[in-house]
Amino acid sequence: GAVVSQHPSWVICKSGTSVKIECRSLDFQATTMFWYRQFPKQSLMLMATSNEGSKATYEQGVEKDKFLINHASLTLSTLTVTSAHPEDSSFYICSARDPAKGDSYEQYFGPGTRLTVT
Amino acid sequence: EDKVVQSPLSLVVHEGDTVTLNCSYEVTNFRSLLWYKQEKKAPTFLFMLTSSGIEKKSGRLSSILDKKELFSILNITATQTGDSAVYLCAVVTGTASKLTFGTGTRLQVTL
């Protein structure tokens, strides 16, 4: 089946620094990837849709200058949390659809990245 | 604004019980409804439902969609401790196929 990886799986950083999270589709090409954030005991909230070769589409309330998304290839999207603050501490998950699966809307999720900002 | 609501929020049952999890939605440009199981990390896919009234089954799990009443249910029969997880319902909308997740139902199966 389609596999999505994320790196790193967890990261601790100091307030004010930037952190980059990578999301890779390992056995398929993904023209579109999605970035979610999940706070403890809450559901997944879509942050942005990442499109290969073009600008990401951000959801309302998500600061595009703070959460920089780059989707430079068909297998890699990156999310950079700039000037991180403790309130950015969360579980960040990416997902991707496999366009070869036609009408299937299933999204394959990465294992997630736990970010802690101290 | 698209909205997906799940009930109950949490549930504790004994091994062997049958449970029914509910998901209702109010969205524009509905495409499909997905069920996921989330244990400690990322969600794993269970079902995709696009047509009304057609039950999907996988072992002890089954699910059905009602597009007229805008809801879906996920049934788990003969529950096992390994079924303990958060079950997420998500609705796919629009041309970008965005997922809007529900609040989740936390299921705990005890011995």
Side-chain angles (χ1 to χ4, degrees), chain B residues 3-18:
Chain B
K3 197 172 169 185
V4 180
V5 177
Q6 290 184 246
S7 63
L9 288 180
S10 66
L11 192 55
V12 181
V13 300
H14 290 112
E15 205 172 40
D17 287 350
T18 294

Side-chain angles (χ1 to χ4, degrees), chain B residues 58-72:
Chain B
S58 177
R60 296 177 293 103
L61 277 66
S62 63
S63 184
I64 198 161
L65 173 68
D66 185 329
K67 288 168 76 172
K68 185 180 173 189
E69 300 298 328
L70 307 182
F71 77 91
S72 174

Side-chain angles (χ1 to χ4, degrees), chain A residues 9 32 34 36 38 41-44 46 49 59 91 93 97 103-112 114, chain B residues 6 31-32 34 36 38 40-43 45 48 50 88 92 94-104 106:
Chain A
S9 54
T32 303
F34 302 87
Y36 296 86
Q38 186 176 33
K41 297 196 176 178
Q42 293 187 26
S43 194
L44 281 76
L46 180 65
T49 303
E59 294 300 300
F91 192 52
I93 309 177
R97 280 184 63 207
D103 290 340
S104 174
Y105 294 108
E106 180 183 352
Q107 289 186 15
Y108 301 93
F109 285 85
R114 186 160 301 283
Chain B
Q6 290 184 246
R31 290 185 173 268
S32 189
L34 309 179
Y36 285 88
Q38 186 177 27
K40 289 186 180 174
K41 290 198 172 178
F45 174 76
M48 183 179 82
T50 305
L88 297 167
V92 184
T95 52
S97 300
K98 285 171 42 173
L99 284 186
T100 301
F101 278 87
T103 45
R106 185 173 296 275

Side-chain angles (χ1 to χ4, degrees), chain B residues 46-61:
Chain B
L46 294 175
F47 297 111
M48 183 179 82
L49 302 157
T50 305
S51 302
S52 230
I54 299 174
E55 185 183 48
K56 294 274 182 96
K57 278 183 77 86
S58 177
R60 296 177 293 103
L61 277 66

Side-chain angles (χ1 to χ4, degrees), chain B residues 80-92:
Chain B
Q80 301 171 358
T81 54
D83 296 327
S84 297
V86 175
Y87 290 84
L88 297 167
C89 165
V91 175
V92 184

